[in-house]
Amino acid sequence: MNNEEKIEHAKGLLREWKATHHEEYCNFTDWMHDREGPGFIAVFNHAKAFMPQFETAVLLHLKDDSSNDVGHLEKMLVEGGMENHLLTGLNTPHIPGNIFLPMLAWMFYGRSFECMVEYGEDLIRNPKTNFLIRLGAKHHIKWIIKSSIALKGRTEEDWANFVEEQREMGSEPNVTAKTIAKLKTASEEIREFVKPAGKKGAPGRAARRRPLTELLPNGDNYLFDCIDNHVKIRNSGKDFAMLFNVSSI
């Protein structure tokens, strides 16, 4: 059995498990969609229990403001034997605290990619989030989208629909939309579809700049000379701005 056949076999087993453990699966998805992040924390705890040095590597990655690629973290898990670790978890579902089956079922058949992207967009929008975390979230969103397409888990159309869904719920997924628009494989139609809508101001009368003699019909030459000298000798950005605004009334 080659790797592709193994993957399809595993997906079949996960599909069967999901059908017979619907409540357990739904509880896990609810856990992962909790914006406090308990699901992600639990998954991370499993990873660092399997490989203690992984925690240090992740923390250093989050603190490195020049790092925009998580490939080294993925490589660390692969070289450390994560694949065999997952297989062991699949073969021992009776072990207390085993989350491998619901986790993998969610990864293959749930809104896993979308959930991770939503969580990243939330972190970026939150002004209380540390800058480095927001920067990391931006890079991770791009990586998740591109990886999901490369793995054929999602298409450009799927992500365009995701953007539409988020907008309908009142959120503008800026990083997601810009990432899709920059994909070389995305069609012009999709790029145009995900482009952020321009904000138009309320209609009003056009501004028309008028000379001081028209704005001050009762003024005399002495007043105009004083204004002219003030602008030439004691001018500032504020003075020019006020004159510009007045002349546009």
Side-chain angles (χ1 to χ4, degrees):
M1 185 180 294
N2 57 38
N3 286 337
E4 187 173 345
E5 290 173 336
K6 288 180 180 179
I7 292 174
E8 290 304 317
H9 177 67
K11 288 171 65 176
L13 294 176
L14 291 170
R15 192 184 302 112
E16 292 177 9
W17 179 89
K18 180 175 178 291
T20 55
H21 296 76
H22 188 62
E23 183 176 357
E24 186 177 347
Y25 172 79
C26 289
N27 288 338
F28 181 82
T29 62
D30 184 52
W31 204 30
M32 296 304 294
H33 284 275
D34 187 328
R35 282 298 179 264
E36 295 298 320
F40 289 103
I41 292 172
V43 172
F44 178 67
N45 286 338
H46 271 272
K48 72 179 186 180
F50 161 71
M51 182 181 289
Q53 64 269 34
F54 184 67
E55 180 180 16
T56 301
V58 170
L59 292 176
L60 288 175
H61 171 73
L62 293 175
K63 293 177 181 179
D64 185 355
D65 60 0
S66 65
S67 179
N68 58 8
D69 183 17
V70 296
H72 63 290
L73 298 176
E74 185 178 16
K75 183 179 179 182
M76 177 184 291
L77 292 173
V78 172
E79 293 180 348
M82 177 56 77
E83 181 180 358
N84 291 330
H85 183 59
L86 291 174
L87 289 174
T88 300
L90 287 174
N91 294 325
T92 54
H94 58 280
I95 296 178
N98 187 334
I99 65 170
F100 291 111
L101 282 168
M103 179 184 71
L104 292 174
W106 179 67
M107 290 295 295
F108 278 107
Y109 299 110
R111 295 183 73 257
S112 53
F113 293 112
E114 292 85 350
C115 177
M116 290 185 280
V117 167
E118 286 170 6
Y119 191 55
E121 293 279 7
D122 282 350
L123 288 174
I124 293 172
R125 280 192 291 265
N126 188 348
K128 295 182 180 180
T129 303
N130 179 286
F131 171 77
L132 291 177
I133 299 297
R134 292 165 62 198
L135 184 66
K138 182 189 75 168
H139 294 315
H140 293 167
I141 288 172
K142 294 180 178 181
W143 178 79
I144 290 166
I145 292 173
K146 293 177 180 178
S147 296
S148 70
I149 294 173
L151 294 169
K152 298 182 179 180
R154 298 293 184 273
T155 63
E156 292 89 346
E157 289 79 5
D158 291 331
W159 285 113
N161 291 333
F162 168 80
V163 171
E164 181 181 25
E165 176 188 76
Q166 292 295 299
R167 287 173 176 170
E168 288 176 348
M169 292 192 293
S171 298
E172 180 61 44
N174 290 315
V175 177
T176 304
K178 290 179 180 178
T179 300
I180 302 169
K182 292 179 180 179
L183 290 174
K184 294 181 180 180
T185 53
S187 66
E188 189 61 36
E189 183 180 356
I190 288 180
R191 291 195 181 98
E192 190 64 28
F193 178 78
V194 299
K195 184 186 299 182
K199 295 183 179 179
K200 296 182 179 180
R205 61 187 178 87
R208 183 174 69 87
R209 293 167 60 183
R210 293 181 289 172
L212 285 175
T213 52
E214 185 178 336
L215 291 169
L216 302 172
N218 297 322
D220 54 22
N221 291 332
Y222 176 75
L223 174 62
F224 296 140
D225 288 341
C226 287
I227 293 174
D228 184 61
N229 288 332
H230 180 82
V231 171
K232 289 180 179 178
I233 300 173
R234 302 176 57 189
N235 61 71
S236 68
K238 183 177 180 180
D239 294 327
F240 284 124
M242 290 177 66
L243 282 172
F244 182 85
N245 289 335
V246 169
S247 65
S248 299
I249 295 176

